[in-house]
Amino acid sequence: MTALQIEHLHKTYTDAYTGEDVVAIGDVSFDVAEGEFVSVLGPSGCGKTTVLNIVAGFVEAGGGTVSVAGRPVQGPGPDRGVVFQDHALFPWKTVQGNVTFGLRMRGVPKAQREATAAEYLQLVGLAGFEHRYPHELSGGMAQRLGVARVLANEPAVMLMDEPFASIDAQTRRKLQEDLTRIFQARRPTVFFVTHDVDEAVFLSDRVVVLTGRPSRVHEIVTVDLPRPRDWRTTGELDQFRSTRNRITDLLAGDESHAVADPA
């Protein structure tokens, strides 16, 4: 069953300095199946985050269609949950309060809210931190809290915009392993934006490689790696290396074309 469908997505914006129209997204189409983990990557400035923001309903598409569970996206909605790069937590609410906020807005009874929060905080490794505040958490813990907050609302699609980009390399690998474990346990539908090829391959079922601006889908690469995954084992597999190299070659070829083409 298709959870997310993007067809001939297009976006043009006006440059604030020159006043000229800039085509950010040329023609992007792909689907994400229910329970699938799909990453999107491409050259810097290709519109990866713009695509995600259109799916989230934060930005209006210039053309094409985006549907979630068969319904057209016409703005933000509870069927999509976003994990941001800066985690965007409510600083005045506790860990538990952050997770239960969306549930409370939906009218879920208090006992059920607290039980759901306890379940997902246990899942992301934050049991025992229910009464802490975001400023008392490490960067990695804050991102795990962001994941728990989204999952607790059971969206049709979880959108993740480079959530580990600002975290140190060692913590980042741990969070990637945590995310694969959470994905294995709950099988949410995930649309993950990244600029890191290794991260995309390690996490994903498929990787959508975009061209440079104006972007289109260069190729969709299937990741044929067993789950569960961990860096010590998965990172040494020949399939991991060959998939990473394939995507790296696609990106390098696109950059070479961009340099050679003065248009």
Side-chain angles (χ1 to χ4, degrees):
M1 182 175 178
T2 300
L4 170 64
Q5 185 173 47
I6 299 172
E7 293 186 307
H8 302 297
L9 190 64
H10 176 86
K11 180 65 179 178
T12 300
Y13 67 90
T14 301
D15 189 287
Y17 296 100
T18 67
E20 297 179 350
D21 287 342
V22 177
V23 181
I25 302 171
D27 187 348
V28 169
S29 299
F30 63 90
D31 297 344
V32 181
E34 186 176 329
E36 184 180 28
F37 197 122
V38 171
S39 289
V40 177
L41 56 77
S44 179
C46 73
K48 301 182 294 291
T49 294
T50 301
V51 173
L52 182 142
N53 284 332
I54 291 172
V55 174
F58 302 149
V59 173
E60 187 176 353
T65 60
V66 177
S67 300
V68 173
R71 295 183 295 273
V73 168
Q74 297 179 328
D79 56 347
R80 285 145 289 145
V82 185
V83 180
F84 299 96
Q85 187 175 142
D86 62 356
H87 55 70
L89 301 171
F90 297 124
W92 62 89
K93 289 186 176 294
T94 63
V95 165
Q96 183 186 63
N98 269 278
V99 177
T100 59
F101 177 79
L103 300 171
R104 184 166 63 85
M105 292 297 98
R106 288 163 45 202
V108 176
K110 182 179 180 181
Q112 186 178 341
R113 295 198 306 264
E114 292 180 352
T116 299
E119 175 187 355
Y120 283 101
L121 289 175
Q122 178 71 38
L123 181 67
V124 302
L126 289 177
F129 291 86
E130 293 84 356
H131 304 298
R132 301 286 184 91
Y133 287 87
H135 73 271
E136 299 177 291
L137 305 178
S138 68
M141 294 168 73
Q143 285 300 62
R144 292 204 299 272
L145 175 56
V147 171
R149 181 176 64 176
V150 169
L151 286 175
N153 286 285
E154 298 184 342
V157 180
M158 182 193 304
L159 306 170
M160 306 187 76
D161 185 15
E162 302 197 55
F164 310 143
S166 61
I167 296 171
D168 67 270
Q170 182 177 353
T171 303
R172 181 172 182 152
R173 289 216 160 185
K174 177 62 170 64
L175 288 172
Q176 290 163 350
E177 292 184 333
D178 288 343
L179 183 55
T180 62
R181 174 181 53 80
I182 293 166
F183 178 77
Q184 187 78 11
R186 288 294 189 272
R187 286 287 178 173
T189 303
V190 182
F191 175 161
F192 190 97
V193 168
T194 181
H195 63 273
D196 186 318
V197 176
D198 282 15
E199 179 173 73
V201 175
F202 180 76
L203 294 172
S204 307
D205 297 313
R206 290 187 299 149
V207 178
V208 178
V209 182
L210 299 182
T211 67
R213 193 173 66 195
S215 58
R216 58 180 176 80
V217 175
H218 194 344
E219 187 172 318
I220 299 178
V221 179
T222 298
V223 180
D224 186 19
L225 294 171
R227 294 185 186 273
R229 298 174 185 172
D230 64 82
W231 274 111
R232 177 174 293 182
T233 302
T234 303
E236 296 300 319
L237 294 175
D238 289 341
Q239 302 100 303
F240 177 88
R241 293 170 179 166
S242 62
T243 305
R244 176 190 60 197
N245 292 344
R246 172 61 183 159
I247 294 172
T248 300
D249 288 345
L250 288 170
L251 294 171
D254 186 63
E255 290 172 0
S256 297
H257 176 75
V259 170
D261 185 356

